[in-house]
Amino acid sequence: MTGTDVLLGLQWGDEGKGKVVDVLTPHYDIIARFQGGPNAGHTLEFNNIKHVLHTIPSGIFREGTMNLIGNGVVIDPVIFKKEIENLKQFDLNIKELLRVSKKTHLILPTHRILDAASEQAKGKKKIGSTLKGIGPTYMDKTGRNGLRVGDIYTSNFKQRYDLLVEKHKAMLARFDFDYDLSEYEEAWFEAIEVLKEIPAVDSEHYVDQAQKEGKKILAEGAQGTLLDIDFGTYPYVTSSNTITAGTCTGLGIAPNKINDVIGIFKAYCTRVGSGPFPTELHDETGEEMRKEGHEFGATTGRPRRCGWIDLPALKYAIMINGVTKLAMMKADVLSIFESIQVCTHYDYQGELIDFLPYDLEDPSLKPVYKELPGWKDIDLTGMNSMNEIPENLNNYIEFLEKELNTPITIVSVGPNRNQTILREEILA
Ligand code: GDP
Ligand code: IMO
Ligand code: MG
């Protein structure tokens, strides 16, 4: 089928989106990022290479596929330049493989400073932002002050930049926050020149034309559903729509052009930054998960909070996104446990519920678990078919599929491209 498929995270980000997009890229003509910015860190591993992408779509390593940075993305030219430089070692023809929307918003040096100042002022209530300037940039977008990639080609770009920076300086004066703009600003304008080397397109027409030609598009999400600005654990969220609807606004794709929605989740659960996390483990078990899963942020290096899988949260994410297929990641990490806990319900204000209540921070809320036997000490990382996997993992998968009422079509058993079990003849 032609049209657009979507791949996005169902938890709090870092589910393994980069890996799965890379695996699926050969089935698509275009990989398009639709939201987020360099707060994202998408890891790809193949041929003894481990690479982390922040702004550039995860299809970049496969020849013959175009990569598009959509209008819903926010781009920091300095980080983008670094990403391009890091890719030089792979001998890719980036100018041929990458396009950026003219409507993509720019992260200014002062957006980053405002992010840091705002987080500092929040004290204990801080979001745990990646400090990449995401919130302030989207604020300027919706406040109708922002600068976009298309603006860098206009003759009065510097004046418009200066005007916005003046506004930001006035805002910064209200914070007790020291900053030095000059050094970062120089690097920013240098990086704008690198950005100019990447063809800027009217991306809504670009994807429309591609669809008319029968090309297949995979929209790559950043962050995860529970970090969505509307439906996530507000205010501990990011500033964009991370859900399927974000594909429509972030690329200019009509809702009726979307086919499959591939929802990706870890066989357990992680979160980085602040905010509620009902199944979080503060004990030895959580520590073991973090160690075995190498759960440290790909962008910030911060340790990720770890806990058991949360089905009420996953059901919510599947509903909001219209998920048609699931990808379960990091099953191999659970091989260290005798048994696996699955949160099937919450005990909330004396009632048993299986949905996300408005206030996830309500102190009465407690996860209710079902225990399933594990596949302890069985190494999954060399397995590549469902015939090889242990019975208890198969039972785990079947249990989740039944609870979630959605097929798990991809099971990932290691970080490498090859460590992926496809449970159906994949796509198209
Ligand atoms: P993304 O932001 O969703 O792309 O995910 P990240 O790259 O931030 O985090 C996922 C991490 O898990 C990366 O270090 C991946 O290399 C790694 N990873 C992905 N899939 C698997 C898997 O099935 N098993 C293991 N052990 N690691 C995985
Ligand atoms: P990928 O695409 C995990 C979290 C931050 C913080 C909150 C707001 O790699 O899955 P922001 O910088 O957006 O203002 O931070 O969102 N966060 C992520 N957590 N993975 C990500 O991206 C994230 N991007 C932002 O930790 O709690
Ligand atoms: Mg990540």
Side-chain angles (χ1 to χ4, degrees):
M1 220 201 305
T2 58
T4 298
D5 294 335
V6 182
L7 182 138
L8 45 71
L10 299 181
Q11 297 163 322
W12 280 287
D14 301 330
E15 295 89 350
K17 298 174 290 292
K19 170 184 163 162
V20 176
V21 170
D22 172 60
V23 167
L24 297 180
T25 295
H27 301 273
Y28 292 92
D29 301 293
I30 300 172
I31 308 296
R33 267 281 298 273
F34 61 89
Q35 46 66 237
N39 48 350
H42 294 184
T43 315
L44 286 74
E45 281 194 43
F46 53 92
N47 307 340
N48 297 322
I49 293 163
K50 178 176 168 172
H51 197 82
V52 180
L53 295 165
H54 300 288
T55 323
I56 294 174
S58 301
I60 198 76
F61 289 102
R62 305 274 204 176
E63 242 173 76
T65 303
M66 185 59 90
N67 292 268
L68 174 68
I69 299 171
N71 58 280
V73 174
V74 290
I75 188 166
D76 181 333
V78 175
I79 295 177
F80 181 71
K81 176 171 172 259
K82 231 177 265 163
E83 277 192 83
I84 300 268
E85 280 164 5
N86 289 343
L87 284 172
K88 284 213 170 111
Q89 56 183 309
F90 301 109
D91 228 10
L92 302 167
N93 192 345
I94 299 289
K95 285 176 209 165
E96 290 290 318
L97 293 171
L98 189 60
R99 298 287 178 272
V100 59
S101 167
K102 290 179 192 165
K103 296 192 170 86
T104 302
H105 277 251
L106 295 171
I107 302 177
L108 270 57
T110 38
H111 284 132
R112 286 185 68 153
I113 297 167
L114 277 165
D115 206 2
S118 149
E119 280 285 84
Q120 192 194 66
K122 282 191 167 129
K124 277 199 180 135
K125 292 262 176 215
K126 72 172 185 187
I127 309 291
S129 154
T130 58
L131 303 180
K132 303 293 178 199
I134 304 297
T137 306
Y138 280 113
M139 276 166 70
D140 269 340
K141 175 178 176 174
T142 51
R144 295 157 294 179
N145 296 311
L147 291 174
R148 305 186 289 180
V149 168
D151 298 330
I152 65 181
Y153 300 98
T154 58
S155 56
N156 63 349
F157 177 61
K158 181 70 169 61
Q159 282 115 290
R160 291 175 65 188
Y161 170 89
D162 287 338
L163 206 64
L164 187 52
V165 168
E166 282 315 308
K167 277 189 191 164
H168 292 163
K169 282 182 177 165
M171 288 161 82
L172 281 163
R174 280 187 255 129
F175 293 99
D176 178 19
F177 193 82
D178 290 334
Y179 62 93
D180 177 13
L181 188 56
S182 54
E183 198 182 312
Y184 194 67
E185 209 165 43
E186 199 183 316
W188 195 83
F189 279 101
E190 265 173 45
I192 287 286
E193 296 308 309
V194 174
L195 184 54
K196 279 184 180 163
E197 291 170 17
I198 305 301
V201 295
D202 294 301
S203 56
E204 60 277 37
H205 292 294
Y206 186 86
V207 293
D208 181 56
Q209 187 56 33
Q211 286 183 324
K212 284 183 175 141
E213 288 168 13
K215 291 187 173 155
K216 285 205 62 151
I217 301 168
L218 179 64
E220 174 181 1
Q223 291 79 55
T225 303
L226 302 176
L227 289 170
D228 180 83
I229 182 71
D230 282 282
F231 298 105
T233 49
Y234 192 88
Y236 300 102
V237 293
T238 191
S239 298
S240 63
N241 280 119
T242 59
I243 58 174
T244 305
T247 305
C248 301
T249 56
L251 289 171
I253 288 178
N256 63 354
K257 294 284 177 4
I258 291 173
N259 298 321
D260 270 319
V261 178
I262 305 162
I264 167 167
F265 67 100
K266 280 178 188 162
Y268 49 101
C269 202
T270 65
R271 170 163 208 172
V272 60
S274 326
F277 179 0
T279 62
E280 181 171 12
L281 292 164
H282 298 279
D283 58 6
E284 188 65 23
T285 308
E287 197 59 54
E288 284 169 27
M289 254 181 212
R290 183 174 311 114
K291 203 162 146 230
E292 186 66 16
H294 304 289
E295 294 296 357
F296 295 89
T299 296
T300 58
R302 292 178 293 177
R304 295 177 184 145
R305 300 154 63 193
C306 297
W308 296 114
I309 198 162
D310 182 336
L311 296 189
L314 273 181
K315 283 178 188 170
Y316 183 74
I318 289 168
M319 173 188 84
I320 292 285
N321 291 303
V323 171
T324 57
K325 293 176 176 180
L326 290 165
M328 185 175 87
M329 311 303 287
K330 302 190 105 163
D332 54 300
V333 174
L334 295 184
S335 294
I336 56 171
F337 297 116
E338 205 78 58
S339 59
I340 314 290
Q341 309 293 325
V342 178
C343 168
T344 55
H345 295 82
Y346 301 136
D347 185 342
Y348 176 66
Q349 297 180 346
E351 264 184 75
L352 210 56
I353 59 169
D354 72 347
F355 59 87
L356 283 189
Y358 178 75
D359 183 11
L360 263 187
E361 289 187 290
D362 185 310
S364 82
L365 187 130
K366 301 265 175 330
V368 176
Y369 292 106
K370 181 177 168 66
E371 182 171 290
L372 295 182
W375 47 92
K376 190 165 187 325
D377 294 336
I378 301 182
D379 180 6
L380 308 178
T381 57
M383 299 184 178
N384 43 38
S385 95
M386 283 305 283
N387 302 329
E388 293 172 68
I389 70 164
E391 192 183 348
N392 284 346
L393 172 56
N394 205 37
N395 292 342
Y396 187 63
I397 292 169
E398 286 180 359
F399 177 77
L400 296 182
E401 280 188 320
K402 197 157 162 261
E403 287 283 319
L404 301 171
N405 203 18
T406 314
I408 296 177
T409 55
I410 297 172
V411 178
S412 176
V413 291
N416 198 284
R417 196 185 258 180
N418 303 326
Q419 292 170 309
T420 314
I421 302 175
L422 304 179
R423 290 182 80 219
E424 66 166 21
E425 257 327 297
I426 211 82
L427 310 161

